Structure formats: C-alpha cells, structure tokens
Amino acid sequence: MASSPDYLRLATSSTRALADAALDSLREAVVVVDVRRKNLPVVLANAPARRCLTPTDQADLIESPLHRLLTAASSTTVGATLASLTDSQAPIARVLEWRTAEGEISVMTEIKPLAMAPEQRLVMLTFAAIPGSGSKAAANNLTERRSSGDSQAGGDRRLLALTEHARDIITVTGTDGNVQFVSAGVTNSLGYTSEERQSNNLFEHVHPDDKEALRFQYQRLVAGEIKAFAHEFRYQHKDGSYRWLESSFTSALDNPLIGGVVINSRDFTERQTAQSRLAQREEVFRLAADAVNGVICEWDVASGFVHRSRGVLEVLGLEPEDLEPTLDAWCVRIHPSDFESAKKAVNLALLNGRGWTTTYRIRDVRGRYRSLLERGLIQRNASGDPVRAICCCVDVSPINQVTDLLVETQRTAKMGGWEYSYVTRELTWTDEMYRIYEADRKEFAVSWHSMLAQCTPESRRRFHAACRRSEAVGGQLDLELEITTLKDERIWVRMIGHMEMLDGRPFRAFGSVQNVQAQKLAQIALENSTGWLKLSMNMANMHAWRWDLMQDAFEFAVVEGRDAHLPRVFAGMKKLMSRVHPADRHAVNRAIDDAFKYQAEVQREFRLRSRSGRYRWYAAIARPFFDGKNLPCGLVGVVQDITERRDSEVRLRRSEELLRATTANAADTLVLVDTSLRVRFINKSVGGMRIEEIIGCGIEVLLPDEARESVTDKLRHILDTGATATYEFESSAEDQVRYFENRAVLVRDDGIGTGISISIRDITERKRLEREILDISGRERQSIGRDLHDGLGQELTGVALMLRGLSSRLQQSCPEAMDSVDEIVGLVNRSIENARSLARGLLPVRSETGGLVFALRELASRSRDLYGLEVSCRAEVWPELRLSETDASHLYRIAQEALTNSARHGHATRVDIFLLVTRSTFLLCINDNGEGFRPPTSPYSGMGLKIMQYRAGIIGASFEIALNEPRGTVVRVAGEQPLAAVSTDGARQSRSEK
C-alpha cells in the first residue's frame, strides 16, 4: 500500500498500517476509483495492483486517471458499465484490457459498487494479478511510500470510510492472543470500540465452553503446525449477551508488516438461532407425525429412499422397519384397479407440478384393502428438478370437496387499495381492485353502493354495523367479507379501513381489500385437518402435553368431549410425580434424565392416579427441546390411556395360565406360534428352558439344528397354503436319539391365518417297540423256517424213504398196489418241496446257503416263474458283506416288495436287481421299465412303501424312490457296513443271472 515514509516504523502500532498490510496480502489486484469525478481517479490500490500496473518510473497509482491504466476500448466499456451501475446492484464481471508493466493483457475483472456515506461514491475493480509482473516495483515497495505525500492522508480516510460501516471484523492478534488491530466492524457487530478491543486478549470474552477448543487450534497455528483454520464460537457482546461468530484464522507472523494472526469474523447468531428453531419445529412435526392416525412419508427422489412415520403400523399393521424404505414396497400393495391412476398423478406432479392429491386402495398385512387419501408436495432445486417429496396418507373415504379446498389454498392472494370521500361521495379504486372483483374498468361504475352490492346479505349487514361504530368514535375497520365477483364467483376478501374525522364527523376513509380466498380455504382445510387429528387422538384415547422446564408448567391438551381422567394443568413436575405410582417413579425420572442427557426420544409406561383416586395406566412418548445455547427448555409429547389394554393383558395372562394349567398334564407338548413363527403359548417346559424363556422366541429354539430349516419351511408352507401337515424329526441329546411326531394346523381369525397350532409327541418308545416287533417277527420267521426245514422236512424225507422201501416189497408181493404207493410217494415229495419253499420264504437269507446274493438270485428266479417278468440279478461284492442275517433279510424284503410293486402296480416287463458292496458301503438298486412311481393318494395306502422306508431306517440306510429314465421306477437303498476286520485276499465277485 502507498503510505507515509514512517510506514514501516508504525506498522505494528498504526491501524492504517495493519489495514494496508491486510489488503496488500490479498492475491487479487484491487483498484478503487472515485466515480463522482469525471476522470475516475484511483483512490486506493493494493500491492498486487501496483506490481501489475505501475511502470518503473512511477511511484504510485493514487490520483491516476483510470483510462491511463486501460486501453481505449476497455475505457469505453467501463464508462458504459459505471453509468448503468447502482449502489445496491450485485457485482458485474467484464473482460478488460489492462496496461501493465509487461504490456497490454486481457483479464476478467469484477466491478462492484461500495456502500459508503451519501457524499461518497466509490467503485472497486478486482482482477487476478498477472504473475511475474512488477518485479522492480516490488523491490521499490519501501521507497514508494516516501512519494505518496498528501494523497496518503486521503487514502487513509477513504480506507476507513470503506470499513467503518462493515459488519465483518478484521482482527490482528499476537502469538499470546493480545489484540493488535481490530476493524470498525467490531462496533457494528459486538458493540465495542476499536480502542476497547485493542486493550483486550482474544480469549477474554470467548464463551467458557468454546475457549479450550479455540485456544488449542490457535496454539497449533502459532506453533506453525497449520497455516490457517476456520472455527465457530460464541463471543460476548458488550451488552453481556453471547453472539455466534464464524472466523477464519490465517498466520501472518512471518509478514514484517503484520507480525501476527489475521482473523476475519462474521456474526451469524441469527442464522444459528433460526437453525435451532427449525430443529425444534422438525422435532415437534416428527412427534405429531407419529401421533397422527396416518402415514407421513419423505421421499428422496434421486436415491429412491422413502422414510415413513410410525403410522404405517396403524394403516398396514406393519412396523415401519418391516416395510422396505422404497416406493416398490408400497406400490405392490396398491389395488391393481387404482395403481395406474395413482401413478399418473404422481408422475404428472414430478414433471411440472408442485404436488399431487390422489385416492387409492391399499392392502394391509391381513389382506384387507383400505382407502387412502394421499397428498404430496414436491421440493425442487434451482433448475426446477424435483429433489424431495413430502406426502401424507390418511385412512379416510374419498373427499373431493376437501381436496379442492386444499388445492385452492395454494393460490396467492392479491391486495388492492380504495379511498372514499364523504364530501364528494366518490369512491376510488386501484387497478388491483378491479382484478379482485373481476370487473371491467370501462363497464363497471365504481361507487360505495355498487361495491357493497357485491357482498352477500350477511356480509353487507356486518359491514354496515362496523362502519357505524367507526363513524361514531373513529378508528379502524378490519373484517372479512364474502363477495360475488362480476363473473358470479363468490370469494372472501379482507377489508381494512381507516376513518379520518373532522370536527367529530367522518371526513375521509381509505384502506385496502385483500383477496383472502386462498387463506380462507386454507383455514377451512386446517380446521378439517385439526378435526381429523382431534378425532384420531380421541379415537386412540391420546392427549398431547408440554412441560416448560423454566417455569415448571405442565399442560395437557385434552380433546373436547373426552373424559381424560386428568386435570388440564398441573402445578409442576413435582406435583405430577406425586400422582405417579411409587413403583414407577424411579423409571419415569430416569426416562426424563435420559431424554435431556442423550437428546433423544423416550417412551415409558406408568401408572398415574386419576381424579377419582384410581390408578390408570398411561403410555407416554416425550422429546426434549433446547434453546439456542443448547440448554434444555422442557419436554413435549403425547400420552395415551392404556388402562383397558393393560386390563386385557392381565385377563389374557390369566386365561393363558388357566389353559396352561389345564394342558400341563397332557402327554403332548402344545405350542401356538404367530405368523412370524414366534412362540405365543406353550404348555410345558422343553429342553431345560422355562416357559417364560420360550415365550416370544422363535420356534427354532425347540428344534434340533439339523431339523430347523426343514421344519420352518413346512410351517411357512402351512401359512401360505393353509394345509395341515404331519412330520417327524430326530433330536440327539446326551448320546441318546429321540423321535418326535408333530401335527401342525393353521389357526384362522375371520378367515385369515393368524398363527399355527402345533402338537409335539415323543414317539421314541413307539419307535423302539416297532423295531422290537420287527426284530421279534424276523426271529420268529427264522425259528419257524428252521423248524420247517430241520424238523418237518427231515421227517417227510424219512417217510419218503420208508415208502420207497415198502414200494420195493409190494412190487413183488402185491403188484396191483404199486399205483397207489407211487401216488403216495409223489404226494410226500411235493410236501417236502412245499416245506422247503416255506422255509426259504421265512428264512430267505442264510449264511450256509450263500447269504444275500444267493437269496436275491433265488428271488429273481421265483419272480420269473411267479409274475412272468424278465428279471436279472447282478452282484459285485468285495471283499465281503458284513451285514447280519437280520439286516440282510431287511434288504431282501425291500427287494421283494419292490419286485411285487413292479409287477402289480407298475405293470413292468423287465426288472434289474443290482447289489454293490465295497469295503465300507453297500448299495441295493432295483430298476424296472413300468409306468413309473405314483405317490399314495390317501394316508392308508402305500403301506408297502412305508415298510420299505422303515426297514431301511432300521439298518441305518437311506431310502430313495424316484422315476427311472426313460421310464419306470428306481428304488435305491444305500448305507455303511458295520465295522469289522476286512479280508484283503478276496477277489471281486461278479454274478449275473438272467
């Protein structure tokens, strides 16, 4: 900056020097000219401007005409721009060609008028300094100050004039925080004079809560850890109040002209207060949204995210968390007949509207359709694109009249003026009055009588009564009238009039008429909405309340016509707490403390003594609100009388206890689950868990890990189809396997499934008995088979031998008896064969006769003779089959049953039996070319299939029956061999017989 010769000496103590240094530190070139003078002299130029524009033989720019610094074309452009520039106009950008020390250079320049005193008119031109220019001027920066002369004093006055009316504060402080310089803005913003602040430390008036954080950042800046930082903090005004400042701190300690920290501060207290009030209004709105009987949605159009209030639970029966925060999750529930119209309304609004109103039906969680009235408003960005939408969905019948009124409230009201002379009896209107009355100036004769003729009779009567009162005592008219326009349209207007009196008589009346049709309709709509809110709160037995912490005032907003069992006003929180049940006071006090501590919503249920002296149950929701200093001011919320619900819960618990006591001795475990498969009732403890621990948990806690997925899938299938299901599962505990049989039945309410009733029976003993019966049956078969083979068969063989010896003797002594003897011998031989066949059937697998392989081969041979089938049997056994005769007999019986089914039910012509035995596993496979497997049609059919499955389970094998390719049925039984020493010298055996 151009300055006096002693500038460097006074830099650390002179206000002017500090301001010059601050402007000189800017990167942009700044030139200020006086536009009152014709040649536009330069009154101020910072260092970058001088380095760019000052030739080597010129020491300063002060008082230099602006046209010398610009080319002729740019001078003309600046002249035209300044001629049209007003004091309140925003800055204008122009490309100007400057004459710099390096030559003529075009650069974008900002032209801005400065707010000054009335006798001054200055304009500031700012442009980017041209790099590399003015190196000599920079070197002569110190000597140029000696030539500034009297212009320096004028520059000082102009600079002070530039800053004395500003609200921004420029401060320079030392490393210890002491103020070295402060601009005049400190007076406008904080009330201090520059001299008062220069005698203080920076941190002296900082709010105690903000001082440490600010001091920490400042010390880092002074220490050189950072070059600059920005901070928001509270600073004490001269009147004692605190103001919010947003400040930027820049280190200029290495600048010899400053030698301190430059701080630019701005007061944003009003913005901070507005933000705090806005946050409080948003909290109240969100609380009201949760209390109203409807759904309030906020839709982010760009991301598609939708936030919904807790009214979703009232409308759809779903928790807001259970409904995906997307449009699709809502749209899939809209009735198909209403979807297109609703979609069209929303799309049209997104294209060119401010909002939409539509009605449609939507399906709730129980499958019923409800009629919704949806109203949405759209927020747009500066480009007119929709960015966000707020909509409210209320469960009501279609109301076209209310919809029309809500649309009308969006129209902007207009206002016109009028004047009436009591002397000349003339009435004068402004142009806006004609537009309000929809009248043609040329056709409509304006008079007091013609204006009142457009009012309805009731409005005219009220207007005359108001005029008589004003004419009698003087004063003001202020009333709403209903008029009929010249186009036969009735609208509401607000008339305001002032009466001038002369010698006690009216002399002149004047005022305005405002079209308040939109406000009137909005008022009607607000009354309707208020009525809906009151009705919703009344139906839910809900009341709003507010507690003012400072005044300790507690108020209830009780809906009219509803007995709330509560006084409308409490003397204070202490009085209210005295009515809370002693057992609930601690919980209520803790909830209040948590609300203020965490600044969050709290919910609590408690008992409160009513006016009758009886305790009633209430559910309360509360949210704290704070002032601009973030200090707690009180609580707002809603409270709902839940006494009836609590009484119902008590009765329900008693009913459950009675039901539980009735069913406690039942052999079966009885379980009731809801549609979320959570246990709502159980009659006895299970698996070491008490009944209280099981209630509310998922059905999975009652199931073993390996059966959980399959059982839950079956239960969900029951909820979807309504079918009854019977299933079994195993549970292993303490090295014991237990078997359970379950029967699940859907529970319905008004035809809609609300849960599943499950009976669980332990069938472990039954399974053991069934297996034991089968084992006994097998052993009896083996015993009878051996008796037939070793007993009756041997005896018949002896009889046959005796008959052969008798036949030889009779042939010699009595030849005529030989025919009878031969017939007897044949009968005995057939009896022997029948006995052996019976023995083989009862004891099909015997180790001494070849085991399972031989038995399967015999089965194939007999089946060819018995059923006429083409049966092949192939076995690959290596090294050996280690199954016991009993277990091998089960495999034989499965093959026997499969052959019978192929012949009788599958109508097959060919059957293949294949047995594969390895070191550790075995596989039995029966294929046929019949008609294929058909599941049994009734629970009493398919016994053979169940017995095959059971036999496979007894030996620990898996059983599978499926369709064969290209046709027929395949039965597979696979399992593991029992552990035993495996022979290694055997060879693979392969037998095949057709």
Side-chain angles (χ1 to χ4, degrees):
M1 279 285 179
S3 184
S4 66
D6 298 328
Y7 177 79
L8 292 177
R9 180 176 58 83
L10 299 176
T12 58
S13 59
S14 172
T15 299
R16 169 72 174 122
L18 290 172
D20 284 354
L23 289 176
D24 286 346
S25 64
L26 297 177
R27 295 182 178 179
E28 294 82 7
V30 178
V31 176
V32 179
V33 298
D34 187 352
V35 298
R36 295 177 305 163
R37 298 164 63 180
K38 185 175 181 181
N39 61 345
L40 303 177
V42 176
V43 297
L44 183 66
N46 66 349
R50 294 195 306 276
R51 286 194 295 269
C52 291
L53 303 175
T54 304
T56 56
D57 58 348
Q58 188 171 346
D60 203 350
L61 296 177
I62 305 302
E63 298 298 330
S64 298
L66 181 63
H67 67 84
R68 291 184 181 177
L69 308 177
L70 298 170
T71 62
S74 294
S75 297
T76 304
T77 301
V78 170
T81 302
L82 294 180
S84 61
L85 196 65
T86 62
D87 292 341
S88 59
Q89 188 172 342
I92 298 176
R94 294 287 188 271
V95 177
L96 301 180
E97 194 170 9
W98 293 86
R99 293 174 175 171
T100 69
E102 307 295 334
E104 296 179 353
I105 299 177
S106 297
V107 64
M108 181 64 71
T109 305
E110 184 182 83
I111 304 173
K112 179 181 179 181
L114 300 178
M116 304 299 296
E119 65 275 6
Q120 293 179 323
R121 191 179 180 206
L122 304 178
V123 173
M124 181 172 65
L125 291 86
T126 306
F127 60 93
I130 293 85
S133 64
S135 57
K136 293 183 178 180
N140 298 327
N141 189 32
L142 295 178
T143 58
E144 68 175 1
R145 303 183 184 277
R146 296 189 177 92
S147 62
S148 57
D150 294 339
S151 63
Q152 179 63 42
D156 290 348
R157 290 192 298 272
R158 293 186 185 95
L159 181 60
L160 291 175
L162 285 172
T163 59
E164 66 180 351
H165 298 292
R167 296 192 64 84
D168 289 0
I169 307 171
I170 301 176
T171 308
V172 179
T173 59
T175 57
D176 55 357
N178 289 331
V179 178
Q180 300 176 0
F181 165 77
V182 63
S183 67
V186 71
T187 304
N188 301 328
S189 296
L190 298 176
Y192 300 101
T193 64
S194 299
E195 292 75 12
E196 290 174 336
R197 285 299 297 123
Q198 283 181 324
S199 63
N200 295 332
N201 187 276
L202 169 67
F203 304 99
E204 181 176 350
H205 297 294
V206 177
H207 194 280
D209 294 341
D210 304 334
K211 186 176 294 184
E212 290 304 320
L214 180 60
R215 190 186 299 275
F216 175 75
Q217 289 293 99
Y218 189 86
Q219 290 174 351
R220 292 184 63 201
L221 181 69
V222 171
E225 296 179 12
I226 55 177
K227 294 298 183 181
F229 71 92
H231 197 75
E232 296 179 356
F233 57 92
R234 287 164 288 182
Y235 203 88
Q236 190 174 27
H237 194 276
K238 188 175 183 179
D239 61 8
S241 64
Y242 280 96
R243 310 290 293 178
W244 278 95
L245 298 181
E246 53 181 0
S247 304
S248 61
F249 293 71
T250 304
S251 175
L253 295 171
D254 54 353
N255 189 327
L257 297 181
I258 299 178
V261 176
V262 180
I263 308 171
N264 293 288
S265 304
R266 173 170 294 182
D267 186 348
F268 73 108
T269 305
E270 294 180 358
R271 187 183 72 194
Q272 183 74 5
T273 303
Q275 291 176 349
S276 177
R277 292 175 179 172
L278 178 61
Q280 181 177 345
R281 292 194 192 99
E282 289 180 350
E283 288 296 317
V284 174
F285 168 76
R286 211 172 278 279
L287 184 62
D290 290 342
V292 73
N293 187 20
V295 183
I296 295 181
C297 306
E298 181 180 0
W299 172 29
D300 189 324
V301 178
S303 66
F305 181 84
V306 181
H307 174 76
R308 302 181 179 90
S309 68
R310 295 196 61 82
V312 174
L313 181 61
E314 297 292 334
V315 175
L316 298 183
L318 286 171
E319 292 288 347
E321 297 82 8
D322 296 336
L323 189 65
E324 292 185 7
T326 60
L327 278 183
D328 293 340
W330 186 269
C331 292
V332 295
R333 293 180 171 273
I334 297 178
H335 194 284
S337 302
D338 302 338
F339 177 75
E340 289 300 328
S341 60
K343 180 181 178 181
K344 181 178 179 181
V346 175
N347 287 341
L348 289 176
L350 290 175
L351 287 175
N352 52 16
R354 184 187 175 193
W356 72 87
T357 301
T358 183
T359 57
Y360 53 83
R361 290 161 292 176
I362 192 166
R363 175 171 47 83
D364 63 12
V365 72
R366 301 176 65 180
R368 299 177 301 181
Y369 280 97
R370 298 187 179 190
S371 180
L372 293 188
L373 169 65
E374 177 177 304
R375 173 110 197 288
L377 293 176
I378 300 173
Q379 179 184 2
R380 300 180 181 275
N381 56 21
S383 302
D385 299 326
V387 295
R388 190 176 64 157
I390 304 294
C391 64
C392 177
C393 305
V394 182
D395 185 6
V396 294
S397 300
I399 42 176
N400 295 331
Q401 180 180 0
V402 175
T403 303
D404 294 338
L405 292 176
L406 292 175
V407 173
E408 289 293 330
T409 57
Q410 300 178 40
R411 295 183 180 177
T412 303
K414 298 180 180 181
M415 183 179 294
W418 59 271
E419 181 182 9
Y420 179 70
S421 173
Y422 280 87
V423 178
T424 62
R425 302 292 181 179
E426 293 181 352
L427 177 66
T428 305
W429 280 3
T430 63
D431 293 339
E432 194 62 38
M433 288 290 293
Y434 288 96
R435 282 192 286 268
I436 292 174
Y437 277 79
E438 296 182 322
D440 189 339
R441 181 186 294 270
K442 298 179 180 179
E443 299 177 357
F444 183 71
V446 177
S447 66
W448 198 256
H449 175 75
S450 63
M451 184 178 71
L452 294 180
Q454 303 303 124
C455 297
T456 62
E458 175 62 21
S459 296
R460 193 181 306 119
R461 182 189 63 78
R462 291 191 293 107
F463 178 77
H464 284 306
C467 283
R468 285 194 295 269
R469 289 194 298 270
S470 297
E471 291 173 355
V473 298
Q476 178 177 325
L477 289 173
D478 191 349
L479 70 163
E480 292 182 353
L481 304 174
E482 187 179 12
I483 67 172
T484 303
T485 67
L486 271 299
K487 293 184 179 180
D488 293 330
E489 181 182 355
R490 281 194 175 189
I491 61 172
W492 281 90
V493 296
R494 181 184 180 186
M495 175 174 282
I496 299 176
H498 299 273
M499 199 75 66
E500 288 185 356
M501 307 295 290
L502 182 63
D503 297 332
R505 301 178 64 180
F507 170 74
R508 185 174 73 101
F510 62 93
S512 63
V513 173
Q514 182 184 11
N515 184 347
V516 295
Q517 179 71 0
Q519 292 89 328
K520 196 70 175 178
L521 295 177
Q523 178 183 353
I524 295 173
L526 179 60
E527 291 174 355
N528 290 339
S529 299
T530 304
W532 294 341
L533 179 60
K534 289 182 178 179
L535 179 61
S536 301
M537 297 179 65
N538 195 8
M539 294 295 293
N541 203 10
M542 187 179 294
H543 318 286
W545 58 269
R546 180 179 183 273
W547 176 46
D548 190 327
L549 177 61
M550 299 301 178
Q551 301 180 4
D552 195 19
F554 204 105
E555 299 180 2
F556 278 96
V558 180
V559 180
E560 297 181 0
R562 185 78 175 186
D563 187 7
H565 304 284
L566 293 169
R568 293 181 181 270
V569 179
F570 279 98
M573 180 59 72
K574 185 176 181 180
K575 181 67 174 176
L576 173 66
M577 294 303 297
S578 66
R579 302 175 71 98
V580 176
H581 194 282
D584 301 334
R585 287 175 188 168
H586 177 70
V588 174
N589 282 323
R590 186 173 60 188
I592 295 174
D593 294 340
D594 290 345
F596 289 131
K597 180 179 180 180
Y598 300 109
Q599 300 186 7
E601 174 184 298
V602 293
Q603 301 183 18
R604 193 71 68 215
E605 293 184 0
F606 57 91
R607 287 161 289 184
L608 189 68
R609 190 172 69 251
S610 64
R611 288 175 294 184
S612 64
R614 175 174 175 262
Y615 280 102
R616 299 185 66 84
W617 276 97
Y618 291 91
I621 303 175
R623 284 185 179 175
F625 60 93
F626 301 84
D627 60 10
K629 301 177 182 179
N630 204 29
L631 298 176
C633 294
L635 297 171
V636 294
V638 293
V639 63
Q640 183 179 19
D641 190 333
I642 60 171
T643 305
E644 295 181 0
R645 192 197 78 189
R646 279 282 188 167
D647 293 342
S648 300
E649 290 176 353
V650 172
R651 290 193 296 269
L652 179 60
R653 284 196 297 270
R654 290 174 180 172
S655 299
E656 289 180 352
E657 291 172 359
L658 178 61
L659 178 60
R660 192 172 289 113
T662 304
T663 59
N665 296 325
D668 295 350
T669 301
L670 304 179
V671 183
L672 180 65
V673 299
D674 58 18
T675 54
S676 300
L677 300 184
R678 295 192 174 274
V679 178
R680 295 306 177 195
F681 172 81
I682 188 169
N683 66 329
K684 61 178 66 176
S685 301
V686 176
M689 296 179 65
R690 301 193 308 274
I691 293 176
E692 295 77 10
E693 296 174 340
I694 299 174
I695 298 298
C697 297
I699 190 66
E700 296 85 1
V701 300
L702 304 178
L703 302 173
D705 295 340
E706 58 272 10
R708 285 179 181 174
E709 184 176 357
S710 61
V711 172
T712 53
D713 288 344
K714 287 184 175 67
L715 295 179
R716 290 191 181 95
H717 180 72
I718 293 172
L719 290 173
D720 294 337
T721 63
T724 300
T726 301
Y727 54 91
E728 297 180 2
F729 62 82
E730 301 176 6
S731 178
S732 301
E734 298 179 357
D735 297 331
Q736 292 183 355
V737 178
R738 305 196 66 83
Y739 300 89
F740 296 92
E741 182 181 62
N742 301 262
R743 179 174 173 81
V745 180
L746 182 67
V747 179
R748 291 182 171 87
D749 183 12
D750 292 336
I752 298 176
T754 58
I756 301 176
S757 174
I758 307 172
S759 62
I760 305 175
R761 176 172 298 177
D762 189 339
I763 59 171
T764 305
E765 183 64 19
R766 191 184 78 186
K767 286 278 189 181
R768 185 187 65 79
L769 292 175
E770 289 175 352
R771 179 164 187 167
E772 188 171 330
I773 290 171
L774 254 169
D775 290 343
I776 292 172
S777 174
R779 290 196 297 270
E780 287 298 322
R781 285 174 178 268
Q782 292 176 0
S783 178
I784 294 172
R786 288 191 179 93
D787 290 343
L788 286 174
H789 184 273
D790 298 337
L792 181 59
Q794 296 300 327
E795 292 176 357
L796 289 175
T797 301
V799 171
L801 292 174
M802 293 173 63
L803 287 174
R804 288 192 184 96
L806 181 60
S807 174
S808 299
R809 292 194 296 269
L810 288 177
Q811 187 174 8
Q812 297 176 1
S813 62
C814 187
E816 65 275 8
M818 287 301 298
D819 293 337
S820 298
V821 173
D822 291 338
E823 184 178 356
I824 293 172
V825 172
L827 290 173
V828 172
N829 288 332
R830 284 196 296 273
S831 298
I832 292 172
E833 194 62 33
N834 289 335
R836 290 177 177 172
S837 297
L838 287 173
R840 284 194 299 269
L842 293 172
L843 189 60
V845 180
R846 291 185 297 172
S847 300
E848 60 270 19
T849 61
L852 179 61
V853 176
F854 178 78
L856 291 176
R857 188 172 64 234
E858 287 293 318
L859 176 63
S861 177
R862 288 199 307 272
S863 297
R864 285 195 295 268
D865 299 335
L866 183 61
Y867 302 118
L869 297 175
E870 183 182 352
V871 183
S872 67
C873 178
R874 187 165 61 92
E876 293 183 7
V877 180
W878 187 83
E880 62 182 351
L881 180 65
R882 296 190 296 274
L883 293 177
S884 64
E885 287 187 358
T886 302
D887 292 346
S889 295
H890 287 306
L891 285 177
Y892 175 85
R893 296 298 181 189
I894 292 173
Q896 186 181 37
E897 181 66 27
L899 274 170
T900 303
N901 289 338
S902 297
R904 292 182 179 177
H905 306 296
H907 306 291
T909 60
R910 178 179 176 82
V911 178
D912 296 324
I913 303 174
F914 175 64
L915 175 65
L916 175 64
V917 179
T918 65
R919 287 181 180 273
S920 57
T921 62
F922 63 86
L923 171 66
L924 176 63
C925 185
I926 301 97
N927 300 320
D928 67 43
N929 61 350
E931 296 177 355
F933 169 71
R934 291 191 296 270
T937 58
S938 69
Y940 303 103
S941 62
M943 292 302 297
L945 176 61
K946 295 178 180 178
I947 291 174
M948 285 193 291
Q949 291 175 333
Y950 188 74
R951 288 184 183 276
I954 285 178
I955 63 176
S958 64
F959 177 83
E960 179 186 1
I961 182 169
L963 294 176
N964 195 16
E965 293 294 340
R967 56 174 299 179
T969 305
V970 58
V971 176
R972 296 185 184 89
V973 182
E976 295 183 357
Q977 292 209 73
L979 296 176
V982 179
S983 174
T984 58
D985 57 353
R988 179 175 299 273
Q989 305 175 34
S990 178
R991 302 176 181 89
S992 178
E993 181 179 339
K994 296 186 180 180

